[in-house]
Amino acid sequence: MVDFCRAHRIPHLVCGKVIVATRREELPRLEELRRRGEANGLTGLRLIGPEELREIEPHATGLRALFVPSTGVTDYAAVCEKYAELISMSGGTIFTSAKALAIRRSASEIAVETSRGAFSTNALINCAGLFSDRIAHMAGDDPGVIIVPFRGEYYDLKPSRASLVRALIYPVPDPRFPFLGVHFTRRVSGQVDAGPNAVLALAREGYRHSDVSARDIASSLAFPGFWRMARQHWRSGIDEWRRSLSKSAFVHALQRLVPEIGDRDLVPGGSGVRAQALKPDGTLVDDFHFVSSGKILHVLNVPSPAATASLAIAKTIVDSAVAPLELS
């Protein structure tokens, strides 16, 4: 991604990141993150103590931290615009606001009926995110998972308090969940985001509390894996909803990393909805989940950070699709 941004003159900044352990039980997980990072080719990883943490992030606190110097930030809207430009220059066509209505398969082609007309192709890759499982069913395939929407809500630091965060401050992730936990991210614009939480949304496009879809709720409740997940993680779910409904609870979670943060330092930010794949046994999928069916490849789970890794993910999808889809 850094090479891509450099090549196309897209604003970016390699600023580094600290992953901070604030509890003793997190220290072994921090060491495991270091081991995995080095095994995957990251250079410059360093476990640091509270004093060096303060040198890098003066307002952060913790027992120990992992410093990741190669972490960077960019403007992903600009990245997507460049992707679209390059696709068009290569002869591709992008149709927006084209809802898929039906998929019909024959021996010679795949026909996709949309709200903007019908299209035919000899191979299809389904990367429909929040609706990827429904597109799979539309194509006559069983994806083996259901997509459950989780809303992530953010606060923004007021500009006068943005100096509390120099770059990126992350917690040590809990391996039981595919969600990272609230953290701080300084954008290339200088704005600092705080969040997100991970709240079960009441609609697949449930970006607000008031967004409710009876169909989406019913599809989740009818899936056996949903109830198995709920029985296992209901306490965590309640905690996430508490942080969603209570700003002070959200702030309290942030204060584990930056104790000086207060209610008055934050203003409501945006939100996103994660397309989380759920297995029938109640397992939240935390890795890629591809289902190949003839000349259709369904991409049903792409873990965060999907934007940062989008070029690598695209290569993985293409490599996975070449043989089953008989692509050159």
Side-chain angles (χ1 to χ4, degrees):
M1 181 58 68
V2 172
D3 291 342
F4 183 87
C5 290
R6 286 173 177 163
H8 298 286
R9 299 182 180 179
I10 297 171
H12 65 284
L13 177 65
V14 179
C15 55
K17 164 172 68 180
V18 288
I19 303 172
V20 182
T22 58
R23 301 185 179 112
R24 292 199 174 275
E25 58 265 30
E26 294 174 338
L27 295 176
R29 302 208 302 261
L30 193 67
E31 171 58 32
E32 175 62 10
L33 283 177
R34 182 201 61 78
R35 186 195 67 77
R36 289 187 183 189
E38 290 180 347
N40 281 286
L42 292 181
T43 59
L45 296 180
R46 197 167 76 248
L47 288 169
I48 58 177
E51 296 79 13
E52 193 169 357
L53 171 61
R54 289 275 185 171
E55 292 176 7
I56 298 170
E57 289 285 355
H59 302 279
T61 185
L63 300 176
R64 211 169 188 199
L66 178 63
F67 178 54
V68 188
S70 58
T71 294
V73 293
T74 187
D75 179 347
Y76 283 108
V79 169
C80 287
E81 289 170 359
K82 180 55 67 173
Y83 285 168
E85 178 186 328
L86 294 173
I87 289 168
S88 298
M89 289 173 59
S90 298
T93 304
I94 298 172
F95 289 91
T96 58
S97 300
K99 181 180 179 179
L101 303 174
I103 298 175
R104 298 180 177 86
R105 306 162 79 163
S106 67
S108 59
E109 68 176 13
I110 301 165
V112 182
E113 184 180 335
T114 80
S115 57
R116 293 191 57 184
F119 305 87
S120 62
T121 179
N122 62 355
L124 178 69
I125 300 176
N126 162 23
C127 297
L130 287 162
F131 298 92
S132 56
D133 58 339
R134 291 183 182 169
I135 295 295
H137 285 293
M138 191 182 291
D141 297 321
D142 180 5
V145 297
I146 188 175
I147 298 301
V148 176
F150 282 86
R151 183 173 61 251
E153 300 159 334
Y154 289 86
Y155 282 92
D156 297 334
L157 261 65
K158 291 181 178 178
S160 60
R161 298 291 279 170
S163 59
L164 290 174
V165 177
R166 284 183 174 177
L168 290 84
I169 307 174
Y170 279 46
V172 179
D174 187 331
R176 296 175 298 169
F177 306 103
F179 309 110
L180 176 59
V182 293
H183 52 277
F184 295 94
T185 303
R186 178 176 284 274
R187 305 296 182 183
V188 285
S189 64
Q191 173 185 310
V192 176
D193 296 342
N197 54 7
V199 178
L200 182 65
L202 300 179
R204 294 204 180 196
E205 293 181 294
Y207 296 97
R208 300 165 299 179
H209 286 105
S210 57
D211 294 330
V212 179
S213 166
R215 179 189 177 186
D216 293 343
I217 294 172
S219 66
S220 294
L221 296 180
F223 188 66
F226 178 85
W227 296 103
R228 296 185 177 106
M229 175 199 69
R231 281 195 297 268
Q232 185 177 357
H233 300 303
W234 65 271
R235 288 186 179 86
S236 298
I238 290 174
D239 287 341
E240 293 292 347
W241 268 104
R242 187 166 54 86
R243 282 189 283 271
S244 174
L245 299 172
S246 168
K247 183 179 181 180
S248 61
F250 200 106
V251 170
H252 181 70
L254 294 171
Q255 288 173 335
R256 283 184 55 201
L257 299 172
V258 180
E260 294 174 53
I261 291 289
D263 285 32
R264 296 182 179 180
D265 299 327
L266 301 169
V267 294
S271 67
V273 180
R274 175 169 175 164
Q276 177 61 53
L278 177 66
K279 293 182 178 180
D281 65 0
T283 301
L284 294 165
V285 182
D286 64 355
D287 203 348
F288 299 105
H289 186 73
F290 297 167
V291 173
S292 180
S293 172
K295 290 193 174 183
I296 297 181
L297 178 68
H298 302 288
V299 181
L300 294 146
N301 201 61
V302 176
S304 179
T308 301
S310 52
L311 290 167
I313 292 170
K315 184 179 187 305
T316 299
I317 291 171
V318 170
D319 290 346
S320 301
V322 166
L325 272 58
E326 300 177 12
L327 301 177
S328 61

